[in-house]
Structures are given as structure tokens and as C-alpha cells.
Amino acid sequence: MLDAPDANKAPIVAALRAEMKARQLDAFILPRYDAHQAEYVAPHDERLAYVTGFTGSAGLAIITMDTVALFVDGRYVVQAVNQCPKPLFSHHHLFDDPPEDWLAGVAQPGWQVGFDPMHIPPTLFDRFAKAVQQGKLVTVEDNPVDRIWVNQPLPPVGEIEPFPVQISGQPTREKIDELVSWMRASGAELLVETQPDNIAWLLNIRGADVAFNPIPQSFVLVNANGSVLWFVAPSKLHPDVLQFLPETVQVRAPDEFLPAVKKQVEQGQSVLFDPAFSPVAVRATIEKAGGIAQPHSSFLTARKAVKNPVELQGMRSCHIQDGIAWVEFCAWLAAEVPRRSEAGQPVTEREAEEAILRFRQRQPGFLEQSFNSISAAGGNAAMCHYSTRGDNQVAIRPGDTYLLDSGGQYETGTTDATRSFAFGPKRPQGYDRAYTAVFQAFHSIATLRFPPGTQGHHIDAICRRPLWDLGLDYDHGTGHGVGHRLSVHEHPQRIGKPYNPVDLAPGMILSLEPGYYEQDSFGIRIENLVEIVEVDDGFLTFSNLTWCPIQTDMLLVEMLTDAEREWINAYNQRVVETLGSGLSSEALAWSKTACTPV
């Protein structure tokens, strides 16, 4: 029953173990997920951070009476070690040492392993159920973390507003009709959707429940007759929303969601649900009511990934505004780092993070950041998702290298870009060689032509080849989908090593972001957003959206091919041409110098 200080989670773990013991649980599975299996969660749902101190966007802990095993992916390995020190915590790779395998190895005969059925999707539940033969998975509907979290924030109540068709490009009624037609073709009577960004896209609404994500938390139940039950707190609705929605959409309270699923499911009815992005409680409710639980990746996930012409134009437009903010920032940074260092008051990581936000706030249509900016100097940049604190005093000095990964939510779209910087001739050993390879990797993927039917894992190695040639690599994906004023990380399209059976298609938006990270020394990443377009011969390629100079000072020009030199010169020159009229005189002068051909 304690509020844990950031530096000491032992009392919280002890309280949780006491609660587990009272419930006769030998272990408890604690993912970062909320009831929507979302990457970004509201403060109310930061249970993993409350218990462990780990603040990354992907992770899972298994708490036993002996240890707290924390599982994170490659982006967060260093961060997890720093935030969750031994001996209280043990550290594991989410994919190389899967949590279900670890649990299977430690579970004793008769163990009771608790889990919250609203916070685990069926795919993850099934992995645990298959692996854990020595014990029994036990449903815990009253989450034990909530019982010990005295000052737990309240659930979010961000206002929901209509998203006009002038920006969305398609009326809500048409979207519902498309969905219902697909349901009928699939032979399903009902569909359950629990992903907030899919629901926001379907109903043409936007909200403010989770920082950086203009989407409301809600659920929908769609009937093949065209009726839609929307489970959302009525207090969050702007007065215009109910008039904006089609008459076939009815609002219900969120706590009516599972009872309504149970009530609507008749014996033998087929109900569609996404097994990777819905609570396992949904499947259990369907089956208990006598329905046929039909797992299928969400139609809405795939449909919203292919942007319509209005959405694409909105994305192109907001990237012009974002590019202006980026160049203003770069000019400011290039001037302030040496000047402030010489004066004995160096620019800090936090100040730089605040500066890019300030330049964005001057742009028409800017609403908020699309994620918490990663502003990292020197060795901090080796942590892929490093985050500054309010009292941050880490300096950016002329001899340092620096990385900024930052994006914005605008009225017409979402942005995300990364640039790596150096401020003088003195850089860490191996930096220029790695930076050159990262640029060559970026060039390899940015200029790629590929046939229809290509999937992200087919082309990932093409990007990594220049790094692999040097014995280097990066432990994160090469590219992720991006929403249209929705989540900055959008499914289903991505480029990476893991198998992902999703065809890359015209109209999809992706990031391209190779990198390299030398622990405790430096981190490098170059990231642009692109849209997939079809060219004359039917092949596909990437069309650039992001406009910000790629610094050339750190390139080993002798390692570049003629094509690579021509490309970076042309790209940097086009940045000046595209943004020049919107830049201040200082930023324009800086950009012309920074974009001098190599």
C-alpha cells in the first residue's frame, strides 16, 4: 500500500507479493498493455512502470516470490538495466529469451500463475498456456497492482471531437459500409474492435486520452446488419459528436462492453476479433456465450494503413511545416552549441528538446508532439529510446555527437524524423565510419524499387547490408507504419527482420530508420517518413515526405559511390528549394551552407 520512490521499488514489489500470496498466486504476469493492447498507455495504466520503474513502450514482467523477471526488446536493454537494477530485477530479451519459456523453466508443479484477461491478447495467452505445463494460468479480473496502487491516476477523460471529412477524406457511413460488406463476405455476424486508433479512423473522431495520440479509448461491436455499438464514456463526447455520427451508431458505457458481447452472441454465431490486439477476455466471452470466436487480423488495421488521396495530401502538407521547424531548430543548434559552450553555459539535452517543440509550436496546424522526443548527447544516444528528465543538465558540447528523434501531430497528419549531429572535427573513434554506413543503409532502402507483393522482411537485409559489411547492425526495425493524425507507430506494415506477411502497397506511410549504437559512446540514426508509390512499370518505390538536411560533415566521402553522392546532394538541395520561402533569414542562410554539395 505504498507509493514507491523512483529509486526504490522494493516496497512496491513486497506489497504486490503480499497481495499475490493472499490470492494464492505463485506468479503474476504483468505486461505493459492496457485493455486495448496499446503501445502508448494513459498514466492510469502504467502498471509496469509503477511496479518496476521501467518506462519504455514495450515490456513485460513476471513477478514470483523470488524474483522480478523483466523482458524488453533490443531498444530498451540499456534503459532497463539502468532503471531496474539488480538484484531485485533480472533482465531478459523479449525475443531471444521469451517470457513464456522463462516461466516454463521456473514454474513448479501446482503453481498458480495469475493474469489480467483484459491486459493480455489471445496470441500471448496461448504462448503461456502452451509453455507452462507445470502450473495453471488463473484469471485475475481484479488486478492486484490496482489494489496496492493507492495514488493511481484516474482513467483518462479527454474530450472527443469530430474529425471532418475535409481532412479524413471519407465519410463515416462509407467506412462502416465497407466494414459490413467485408464482414458479410467473411460469413461473420458480429465484429469486436478494441484498438482505439482503428475506432477513431472508422468513426472519424479524435480524442485526447493518451499523450501524443489524438485518439479516445473505447470499444466497438459491429453487427452485420450495419448497427454499431460504441462503448465510450459519454462525458468525453463533445456536443457535436452525436450529431456528427450516423444514426446507426449508438453510444454505451465502457463497463457494458463485455456484457453486451455476451448478450449479442447467439448460439453458433461467428464473431470476428483480432487475436493479437484484443483482450483474451473477448475470446473467452464469445466462447462462453456459445458463439464461434473467429480470429482474424483486423480489417480496419489493414484498411486505414492505405491512405486515401486527401489523407496523403494532408501528410505531405504537414511535413512541409514540420520541415521548417526542423531547419529552424538545426540552425539554432548549430549556432547555440559553440556559443553557449564558450560562454560556460552549454545547451542541455532538455533545452534542445524544448527548442524543437518551440519551433513546431510556431507552425500553422501544430497540435502536440507525436511522441516524447529522444534528445540524446554522446553515450546517451546509444539508448534507442532514451528520455530526458525535467532536471536534465546533460550538456551538448562542440566535441560531442548528438541525436534527436522527434515528431509532431498536426491538423492534417503525423510526423516523425531523426537526425544525428556533430559540432566539430573531433568525434569518437569509429563514428564517421559508422555514420557513413548508416547513410549508405538509408540510401539503399530509400532508393529501392520493388515489385508488388513485396513484404517488409523481404527488403530489410537490403538496408542493413552496408552495416553488415562492416560487422555492424542495429537491434530494432528498419521501418514502421505511421497513422494519419493517429498513432506514430501504426500496424500492420513494417520493415524488419521478423516475418510479417503484409504486402507493401501504394498509399502506405512508413519510416525508414537504420542506425548504429556504440554503448556508452554514441548513437546514430537517420530517419525519414515516406509514402509508397507506384511507378510507370508497375513496380513500387518510396516517395520522400521528410524535409530536413542530412549532415554531411561526418561522411567519409571516399567511401561513397557516385550515386550516393548525387542522391544526398540532390536531397539536401531539394530541402532548401522546398522550405526556403518559409524559413527565417538565419535558417535559410544556415541551410544553404549546410546543404553545400559534397
Side-chain angles (χ1 to χ4, degrees), residues 165 168-176 201-204 244 246:
V165 70
S168 73
Q170 186 180 16
T172 305
R173 180 72 266 171
E174 286 186 12
K175 293 181 178 182
I176 294 173
W201 181 87
L202 175 69
L203 300 181
N204 281 334
F244 175 80

Side-chain angles (χ1 to χ4, degrees), residues 43-240:
H44 170 80
D45 294 305
E46 289 277 11
R47 296 174 182 86
L48 183 64
Y50 178 73
V51 172
T52 69
F54 174 68
T55 59
S57 63
L60 178 147
I62 300 176
I63 299 93
T64 71
M65 294 303 167
D66 300 314
T67 190
V68 180
L70 179 64
F71 299 82
V72 301
D73 64 34
R75 298 172 296 171
Y76 295 116
V77 170
V78 176
Q79 179 178 332
V81 171
N82 290 341
Q83 291 184 326
C84 312
K86 295 178 179 181
L88 183 60
F89 301 97
S90 62
H91 304 100
H92 309 267
H93 196 287
L94 194 57
F95 304 116
D96 297 342
D97 183 17
E100 66 273 17
D101 291 351
W102 180 90
L103 183 58
V106 301
Q108 301 297 312
W111 264 30
Q112 301 265 59
V113 180
F115 71 97
D116 187 327
M118 288 300 290
H119 298 162
I120 289 183
T123 50
L124 182 57
F125 171 85
D126 291 345
R127 284 164 46 192
F128 276 108
K130 181 179 179 180
V132 181
Q133 301 295 319
Q134 296 289 329
K136 178 183 178 183
L137 295 178
V138 179
T139 298
V140 180
E141 295 183 355
D142 181 13
N143 196 300
V145 177
D146 295 347
R147 290 292 297 273
I148 67 168
W149 194 348
V150 176
N151 293 324
Q152 183 178 18
L154 295 173
V157 290
E159 186 176 57
I160 300 171
E161 297 180 339
F163 192 56
V165 70
Q166 294 90 338
I167 303 176
S168 73
Q170 186 180 16
T172 305
R173 180 72 266 171
E174 286 186 12
K175 293 181 178 182
I176 294 173
D177 288 345
E178 278 189 39
L179 175 59
V180 168
S181 295
W182 177 81
M183 289 173 58
R184 291 171 179 168
S186 302
E189 286 83 16
L190 294 168
L191 176 142
V192 174
E193 181 59 72
T194 65
Q195 294 182 75
D197 58 338
N198 285 351
I199 297 168
W201 181 87
L202 175 69
L203 300 181
N204 281 334
I205 46 93
R206 295 296 187 267
D209 279 342
V210 180
F212 316 127
N213 291 263
I215 49 183
Q217 293 185 337
S218 65
F219 309 97
V220 296
L221 180 59
V222 182
N223 195 296
N225 65 16
S227 65
V228 178
L229 293 180
W230 183 24
F231 300 91
V232 63
S235 62
K236 297 196 292 188
L237 300 178
H238 185 279
D240 292 342

